[in-house]
Amino acid sequence: AILASQSVTLPIVVFLMVTLTAQIAAGAIASEKENKTLETLLTLPVKRTTIVASKIGGTAVMGLIAALTYTFGMRSYIGSSFGGSNVSLGDLGIRITPQGILLFGVVVFLTVAFALSLAMLLAIFSEDVQSANTVVSSVILPLAFPSFILMYTDLSSLPKAAAYALLSDPFTHPIVAYQWMLAGEYARIAWSIGYLSAAALALLYLTARAFSGEKILTAKMGWGRRRR
């Protein structure tokens, strides 16, 4: 019951964490474009990369706090659904080390950074907050949905092609990293960190390049809006 509750809770937490932080990041950029305050921000004597990093860093901290809140809440709810067993992971012979917790935290942070970079990049081409929310939902939600497959199956039981396809999705890595943390397979978590770092840095570079030009002030695309 304990292991089942963990497999149910974590995908839901990851899904909520990713969607929440992405909506916050996209809304922040779209709101500044809509209210014409982005022009003033970009004229300040601050590097554009610093602006991007600051927005991502601040929202990532909020995302981590939200993730912890959702984790404790969902664990309490799921635990009561399974009868509130007093058995702990330690009773099952599973030991979580500080090293494992640290590595898992890095995976979660990089996943949030990837989602934020993608959301900010998409929000650049939105005219307002409503359009930004529409495009972020239409792009990020399909990327997050495959993580729910891991609620019903183990990665090692899938064919290699299917397993690699799931691992190519950055949003599945917090779930498999948690499983690897329980199993003490820290080398696999390190590989996950390397993959997420490359994906997050690539999106950060693209987002910074988009902010470095002046087209960010005029880039518009009416996502989900009807034009008269």
Side-chain angles (χ1 to χ4, degrees):
I2 290 176
L3 296 178
S5 66
Q6 299 288 344
S7 64
V8 170
T9 302
L10 196 58
I12 297 176
V13 170
V14 171
F15 181 79
L16 294 174
M17 174 188 66
V18 166
T19 53
L20 175 64
T21 54
Q23 294 285 1
I24 292 174
I29 297 298
S31 177
E32 290 187 351
K33 288 191 67 175
E34 186 177 5
N35 297 326
K36 307 299 181 181
T37 58
L38 186 60
E39 293 89 335
T40 304
L41 178 63
L42 296 179
T43 57
L44 297 176
V46 180
K47 292 183 179 180
R48 303 275 177 98
T49 53
T50 303
I51 296 175
V52 174
S54 299
K55 287 183 176 295
I56 291 177
T59 312
V61 172
M62 295 177 61
L64 289 176
I65 295 174
L68 292 175
T69 303
Y70 280 125
T71 299
F72 287 114
M74 290 299 299
R75 285 189 63 180
S76 176
Y77 174 76
I78 297 295
S80 62
S81 300
F82 282 95
S85 174
N86 294 324
V87 181
S88 63
L89 292 176
D91 297 330
L92 301 176
I94 299 175
R95 182 170 176 265
I96 300 177
T97 64
Q99 180 184 2
I101 295 175
L102 177 62
L103 291 174
F104 176 71
V106 173
V107 170
V108 173
F109 180 82
L110 290 174
T111 304
V112 172
F114 176 86
L116 292 178
S117 300
L118 180 58
M120 291 180 65
L121 185 61
L122 295 173
I124 291 174
F125 301 96
S126 302
E127 297 183 13
D128 50 33
V129 176
Q130 179 182 355
S131 300
N133 291 335
T134 300
V135 65
V136 167
S137 299
S138 63
V139 173
I140 288 187
L141 293 186
L143 291 176
F145 276 133
S147 61
F148 285 95
I149 297 176
L150 297 175
M151 294 174 62
Y152 309 103
T153 185
D154 186 74
L155 192 67
S156 60
S157 64
L158 296 174
K160 286 188 176 181
Y164 288 141
L166 282 176
L167 288 176
S168 65
D169 185 353
F171 299 136
T172 62
H173 281 255
I175 301 169
V176 295
Y178 182 80
Q179 298 172 356
W180 292 337
M181 179 183 66
L182 295 181
E185 299 178 352
Y186 298 148
R188 289 190 173 185
I189 302 179
W191 173 86
S192 180
I193 290 174
Y195 175 78
L196 289 174
S197 298
L201 287 175
L203 271 181
L204 278 172
Y205 174 77
L206 292 176
T207 305
R209 285 291 301 271
F211 267 81
S212 63
E214 301 304 324
K215 289 184 178 181
I216 185 177
L217 302 175
T218 57
K220 291 183 179 180
M221 188 172 294
W223 304 93
R225 295 188 60 186
R226 291 184 177 180
R227 296 186 178 274
R228 296 180 178 179

